[in-house]
Amino acid sequence: MHTDHRSGCPINLSLEVFGDRWSLIILRDMIFGGKRHFRELLNGSIEGIASNILADRLKRLMQLGMLTKADDPSHKQKAIYSLTEMAITLMPILAHLGAWGRVWLPVSEELSIRAELLEKGGQPMWDKFMDELRHEHLGTPSPASGPTVRATLQAGYEAVVARKASEAGCEPAA
Amino acid sequence: MHTDHRSGCPINLSLEVFGDRWSLIILRDMIFGGKRHFRELLNGSIEGIASNILADRLKRLMQLGMLTKADDPSHKQKAIYSLTEMAITLMPILAHLGAWGRVWLPVSEELSIRAELLEKGGQPMWDKFMDELRHEHLGTPSPASGPTVRATLQAGYEAVVARKASEAGCEPAA
DNA sequence: GCAACTGATTGCAAAATGCAATCAGTTGCA
DNA sequence: TGCAACTGATTGCATTTTGCAATCAGTTGC
């Protein structure tokens, strides 16, 4: 790991951490998709990350202190990747990024509904989500009860998928 | 310009726009540094961007709708680059990114004071700054009076530089 | 035993990066 | 008029990074 930086500017240093096309995708899948294993990240990514890139980025994110790795008790070869507090606090930035992308880029409805719900939920929802992530990844005491934020977002996604399928069925060749 | 995307996910699409080590640096220098010309961006960047990379990124950001180019009346060969609304609305994300980096990365005091002031100013300061950018780059009516946000940030930067110089002079070899 | 699965690693071609040199046109100044 | 400095780039080239396919050794379930 090289420790020399281009400058001490916080924006530059942030870019040195995830200024590439894959690091934030991996964190997105861990945060919003709940992925914890190598294979989940490899096969679950809709963007289709290559295994060597995934291995490299996981190693890199660990060296940077964004992830930790632990043995899975259920399988001697299985590794569980966990988010650190450093990565969990990145969640609001992902929410902002999603909100911005939803306005300015050609997003698909299914994949942007989470960003929309997250934007509408605002800071309270983000705080709740981060607490849930801390519970899941850092083992902190159980957060507030009720449906998890991730489940809420997932339900929104599935509702859109179901609606679009039904629309396609009722009004063919729109 | 390739128009095929890896996915319609807003976070992915955002990364396809500025998921590299230079695009956001250029936007940072335009937004916070007030840089408008090729040479200003080339020589003003503390990270030392190469001229071919700068030319490539400016072209790319224009194709993506983040920047526009216009002739400078004062010099027939001079081009003025302007931020579009799309780029201006990225400003709060840069503020968040700076705030995150300030907490988790080895930032230098001089270069992170802007991020600190911007964080303390919060949404009202960001709104004011975006209005100033719209006036500067899009020619919208003059925003609120008083010192500009950029001037406030710059003053903070210079205060830190002056203080550190004075400290170094009064207490050598601390 | 053996196929499927675990987290990776290797080889290789293609693309991106970074550096230095260079370009044609413009401007300011003598 | 001449000429140096400056304008926004472009070119060539070596190095690095990326992305894809194939492969690896160990583990598990059956």
Side-chain angles (χ1 to χ4, degrees), chain B residues 112-173:
Chain B
S112 65
I113 180 67
R114 287 179 229 249
E116 186 180 350
L117 293 173
L118 212 53
E119 190 180 359
K120 281 183 180 157
Q123 192 72 49
M125 190 186 218
W126 304 348
D127 288 338
K128 183 169 189 291
F129 195 13
M130 284 192 284
D131 266 348
E132 288 168 10
L133 290 170
R134 284 185 193 103
H135 176 62
E136 192 178 344
H137 291 261
L138 306 176
T140 55
S142 186
S145 59
T148 65
V149 172
R150 184 183 294 130
T152 305
L153 300 178
Q154 183 65 18
Y157 166 74
E158 279 161 14
V160 170
V161 171
R163 182 173 55 69
K164 294 194 86 166
S166 127
E167 276 173 8
C170 296
E171 300 175 31

Side-chain angles (χ1 to χ4, degrees), chain B residues 37-39 51-52 55 58-59 69 75 77-79 81:
Chain B
H37 301 291
F38 190 94
R39 290 286 154 171
S51 66
N52 55 347
L58 287 173
K59 187 165 52 174
K69 186 160 95 168
H75 189 303
Q77 227 174 357
K78 225 166 183 172
Y81 292 93

Side-chain angles (χ1 to χ4, degrees), chain A residues 124-172:
Chain A
M125 191 186 218
W126 305 347
D127 288 338
K128 182 169 190 290
F129 195 12
M130 284 192 284
D131 267 347
E132 289 168 9
L133 290 170
R134 283 185 194 104
H135 175 63
E136 190 179 343
H137 290 262
L138 306 176
T140 54
S142 186
S145 59
T148 65
V149 172
R150 184 182 294 130
T152 305
L153 300 179
Q154 183 64 19
Y157 166 72
E158 280 160 14
V160 170
V161 171
R163 181 173 57 69
K164 294 194 86 167
S166 128
E167 276 175 7
C170 297
E171 301 176 33

Side-chain angles (χ1 to χ4, degrees), chain A residues 37-39 51-52 69 75 77-79 81:
Chain A
H37 300 292
F38 190 92
R39 290 285 154 172
S51 65
N52 56 345
K69 186 161 97 169
H75 190 303
Q77 227 176 357
K78 227 166 182 172
Y81 292 93

